[in-house]
Amino acid sequence: MLDAAARDLLDLSGVATLTTLMATGAPQSTIIWYRRVDDVLRLIAPASAVKARNIERDSRVSVVVTHPENPYHYLEVRGNATVLHNDSGAREELRHIARRYIGERADTYVGELSSAERVIVEIPLQRVRLYVGQRPD
């Protein structure tokens, strides 16, 4: 279960860095929008995206979320992600996620996406490490 400080950081509208593993074992990192639903991070990707394909092959992921105003205040999540194939559900989820970042423009943004299938990626918040540091003066 998340503590209040971790929940507060995740609920800010900062972006996250998702790291997945390529077939060679090399890490592949992507900046992503996300939202927290209870103790799960949810994000959307095209089904054909490298990150989605990587997760389907090897579910191990790492996510780092940095405070928008203090890069020394961040948390890391390590765990196993799940890819859910549900294009209409993914587009609806993206509306929720996009509202966190672009507000009322979210519906237009989602409506203008290509017809390429989208997937929902869920990452349980089970292994979470929170770091709270200050900028050096």
Side-chain angles (χ1 to χ4, degrees):
M1 175 169 266
L2 289 176
D3 66 26
R7 212 173 7 264
D8 289 347
L9 178 55
L10 288 169
D11 290 346
L12 295 173
S13 60
V15 296
T17 302
L18 168 70
T19 301
T20 61
L21 297 173
M22 302 292 288
T24 63
Q28 188 267 341
S29 297
T30 308
I31 301 299
I32 58 164
W33 287 354
Y34 71 92
R35 80 173 177 134
R36 181 184 65 83
V37 178
D38 299 322
D39 286 349
V40 174
L41 285 186
R42 298 187 94 191
L43 59 106
I44 304 305
S48 62
V50 171
K51 60 184 158 275
R53 295 190 328 259
N54 284 348
I55 292 167
E56 288 192 303
R57 189 189 62 264
D58 184 338
S59 66
R60 294 175 296 167
V61 299
S62 172
V63 177
V64 174
V65 176
T66 305
H67 191 287
E69 297 172 7
N70 178 5
Y72 301 97
H73 180 181
Y74 65 96
L75 65 76
E76 177 194 26
V77 177
R78 292 184 191 175
N80 295 85
T82 303
V83 175
L84 307 172
H85 287 267
N86 177 345
D87 186 64
S88 63
R91 289 172 190 275
E92 185 57 34
E93 179 63 27
L94 183 54
R95 282 184 176 80
H96 293 292
I97 293 169
R99 282 188 194 109
R100 287 174 36 103
Y101 296 94
I102 59 174
E104 63 189 41
R105 296 178 311 182
D107 289 335
T108 302
Y109 171 78
V110 173
E112 292 175 348
L113 292 175
S114 73
S115 62
E117 179 192 4
R118 302 289 193 250
V119 295
I120 300 169
V121 176
E122 292 188 334
I123 304 164
L125 296 167
Q126 295 172 336
R127 289 189 63 198
V128 177
R129 294 175 52 183
L130 179 67
Y131 303 89
V132 181
Q134 299 298 318
R135 291 178 181 266
D137 290 334

